[in-house]
Amino acid sequence: MKKIISLSIVSFALLTSCKSKQLTENKTSEKPKSELTDNQLMDKVQSDALKYFWDFAEPNSFLGRERYHEDNIYPDNDKHVITTGGSGFGLMTILVGVDRKFIPRQEAVKRLTHIADFLEKADRFHGAWPHWINGETGKVVPFGKKDNGGDLVETAFLVQGMICVREYFKNGNEEEKALAAKMDKLWKEVEWNWYTKGGQKVLYWHWSPTYGWEMNFPLEGYNECLITYVMAAASPNYSIDYDTYNKGWTRNGTYLSDKEKYGLPMYVKHNGAEEYGGPLFWTQYSYLGLDPRNLSDQYIKNYFDLNRNQVLIDYKYCVENPKGWKGYGENYWGLTASYTRNKDGGVGYNAHFPQNDHGVITPTAALSSMPYTPKESMAFLRFLYEEKPNFIGQAGPYDATSINYNDWFTPRYLAIDQGTIAPMIENYRSGLLWDLFMNAPDIRAGLKKIGFKSEKHKID
């Protein structure tokens, strides 16, 4: 059984695992139940998650730290390290903050302009940013020995956010238009077709000026990387063609599946997780901007159904609870990649999904699934804030929790997890990010180029 399902997760697990004992088991609270409405609860968790990228951003670049630890324990001395993909989610989180009036629009414009200026000067490799960047210097921080160059997937997550920022401010005042122009310039400089490794009909995840293509990780579906092909197709200067999408991502359509779980069609073969589907971030990272509602291509009739079924399978698995973990149920569910509780009680990292279930529930999994499972996700949100306030810290719900292990949690956060909460809840509430992204002219052209149609956004 494959327990780790992408090179990114393997590397991250190795780099972040530590054996420090937690001091957070058995923490209890007698806080009374709230009387907040559903909308007030959504406001609360969105504004809390925003703090990760507003109050606790890396202070020089203003980008999202890879991690923020309330306990101030950083085993790898990486408090200054920023993450490009998580920062892309952070850009969209800031837009939610502006639109919901959690933060002043003018202050957000100034901060986003500073971010754009930092990213323009930071290390890039054929236009692509690395996975990690030193927030103080703009220099690459290796994610692994050979992963010290461009990371196309993280770059795709970042520019997904840039497109949304551009669209949100492009018709504003002079300062806002200047910000939109900066984001536009940055995204158009990414050389997506370089990452076909000399014209192969597939995109590659990494390239290093030191190690070249030695990472050798082609992007083939299905996992979290669909947005990479969308952005590459949409590029006006360095685009890929339909064959690269079809032969690379879909493996000439052979990534399709006729399997079901709990009576729900899987539709595609999830890489390394074909029985239940992968971690729930696969339904989120590519879809903060890309609207899956009635989105189709040659092989998939409705991407929303694909994603909703993956979430429902995860939910039904947690309710069934075949391993008998204490606490699992209709109000406490959701498996995805996050920090985890090691067997010795310390903190590590793992890609949780039904075939790799360790009794750890990650709040972002259910919360960021709000568009797919509003009833089930709202039940989790209410349970968390009313019954488990000990699982909530300065920037919203902590990254990893376990009722099974005496209400264990880690007082820590990761950008890639916290960054999907506000945007995906907002997409459920108003469709803000979906509308911004899907109505961008270059995105519309790119989607058409690789055969996508959207009834919702009149792309055909």
Side-chain angles (χ1 to χ4, degrees), residues 10 17-18 23 32 34 53 57 92 105 122 134 191 197 203 211 219 294 297 302 314 347 361 364 392 412 421 442 449:
V10 172
S17 180
C18 64
L23 302 177
S34 73
F53 300 98
M92 289 182 270
R105 183 182 180 104
N134 186 319
E191 298 175 26
K197 195 176 176 181
L203 290 171
Y211 300 98
L219 300 179
N294 297 116
D297 63 9
N302 190 336
D314 185 286
V347 178
I361 295 295
T364 190
I392 299 167
R412 300 177 179 184
I421 294 173
D442 34 15
K449 184 175 185 179

Side-chain angles (χ1 to χ4, degrees), residues 118-125 128-130 133 137-141:
F118 177 88
L119 287 171
E120 183 171 20
K121 297 175 183 177
D123 281 350
R124 280 186 280 176
F125 305 87
W129 287 270
I133 301 173
T137 66
K139 299 299 182 182
V140 59
V141 175

Side-chain angles (χ1 to χ4, degrees), residues 86-371:
S87 289
F89 304 160
L91 296 181
M92 289 182 270
T93 298
I94 289 172
L95 292 182
V96 173
V98 172
D99 214 60
R100 288 278 165 191
K101 296 181 170 51
F102 299 148
I103 52 177
R105 183 182 180 104
Q106 187 175 5
E107 288 187 27
V109 171
K110 289 181 179 179
R111 179 171 291 206
L112 291 168
T113 300
H114 180 93
I115 286 172
D117 290 341
F118 177 88
L119 287 171
E120 183 171 20
K121 297 175 183 177
D123 281 350
R124 280 186 280 176
F125 305 87
H126 290 276
W129 287 270
H131 190 129
W132 283 342
I133 301 173
N134 186 319
E136 298 170 348
T137 66
K139 299 299 182 182
V140 59
V141 175
F143 191 72
K145 180 181 178 182
K146 296 182 179 181
D147 191 356
N148 65 343
D151 185 311
L152 202 66
V153 175
E154 293 289 311
T155 294
F157 298 150
L158 176 59
V159 297
Q160 182 180 209
M162 288 179 172
I163 293 291
C164 291
V165 171
R166 183 194 73 186
E167 293 299 300
Y168 193 85
F169 291 109
K170 69 180 183 182
N171 296 318
N173 60 33
E174 288 188 15
E175 188 179 6
E176 291 172 357
K177 288 179 179 177
L179 167 62
K182 287 176 183 287
M183 293 295 186
D184 185 58
K185 178 177 181 292
L186 288 171
W187 115 259
K188 288 179 177 175
E189 291 173 345
V190 181
E191 298 175 26
W192 304 92
N193 56 4
W194 165 265
Y195 285 82
T196 59
K197 195 176 176 181
Q200 296 183 27
K201 295 301 181 181
V202 65
L203 290 171
Y204 282 81
W205 197 315
H206 314 90
W207 179 80
S208 161
T210 310
Y211 300 98
W213 301 103
E214 288 185 36
M215 293 288 287
N216 195 34
F217 198 92
L219 300 179
E220 298 172 316
Y222 188 82
N223 52 26
E224 75 271 30
C225 301
L226 174 60
I227 193 66
T228 315
Y229 279 89
V230 173
M231 300 310 307
S235 172
N237 302 322
Y238 303 99
S239 186
I240 60 168
D241 59 17
Y242 170 79
D243 284 346
T244 303
Y245 168 74
N246 188 49
K247 293 180 180 179
W249 177 250
T250 80
R251 309 176 196 241
N252 287 312
T254 62
Y255 78 150
L256 294 176
S257 172
D258 59 2
K259 292 183 178 179
E260 294 184 352
K261 197 69 180 181
Y262 302 114
L264 298 167
M266 300 287 294
Y267 296 113
V268 294
K269 299 172 183 175
H270 290 237
N271 292 345
E274 291 186 21
E275 183 179 356
Y276 292 88
L280 289 189
F281 74 87
W282 290 8
T283 69
Q284 297 154 9
Y285 289 5
S286 282
Y287 302 98
L288 270 68
L290 183 65
D291 186 352
R293 296 174 297 177
N294 297 116
L295 181 71
S296 63
D297 63 9
Q298 178 182 350
Y299 302 109
I300 306 299
K301 291 183 178 179
N302 190 336
Y303 275 84
F304 187 86
D305 292 343
L306 187 160
N307 289 342
R308 180 174 57 188
N309 283 5
Q310 184 187 341
V311 176
L312 284 172
I313 288 168
D314 185 286
Y315 169 78
K316 289 177 179 293
Y317 168 85
C318 290
V319 172
E320 181 188 32
N321 192 16
K323 292 191 173 183
W325 301 113
K326 180 182 177 183
Y328 275 30
E330 294 179 353
N331 296 335
Y332 188 65
W333 60 278
L335 306 176
T336 195
S338 71
Y339 280 129
T340 195
R341 182 189 186 278
N342 292 333
K343 290 182 179 180
D344 66 359
V347 178
Y349 185 87
N350 214 319
H352 310 104
F353 62 108
Q355 291 167 264
N356 187 41
D357 173 20
H358 297 277
V360 172
I361 295 295
T362 302
T364 190
L367 296 177
S368 300
S369 296
M370 191 73 74

Side-chain angles (χ1 to χ4, degrees), residues 393-442:
Q394 295 173 326
Y398 289 127
D399 194 59
T401 69
S402 178
I403 292 176
N404 185 79
Y405 292 104
N406 299 318
D407 277 6
W408 174 92
F409 63 90
T410 177
R412 300 177 179 184
Y413 299 94
L414 292 170
I416 52 174
D417 291 340
Q418 219 64 10
T420 57
I421 294 173
M424 287 302 276
I425 290 178
E426 192 57 38
N427 281 331
Y428 165 70
R429 301 181 79 179
S430 71
L432 174 67
L433 289 316
W434 285 343
D435 287 342
L436 290 170
F437 188 81
M438 297 295 288
N439 287 313
D442 34 15

Side-chain angles (χ1 to χ4, degrees), residues 27-44:
K27 181 180 178 181
T28 60
S29 173
E30 297 180 358
K31 184 178 180 179
K33 289 187 178 182
S34 73
E35 295 181 357
L36 297 178
T37 66
D38 287 354
N39 280 330
Q40 288 171 330
L41 273 171
M42 286 188 285
D43 278 348
K44 176 63 175 170

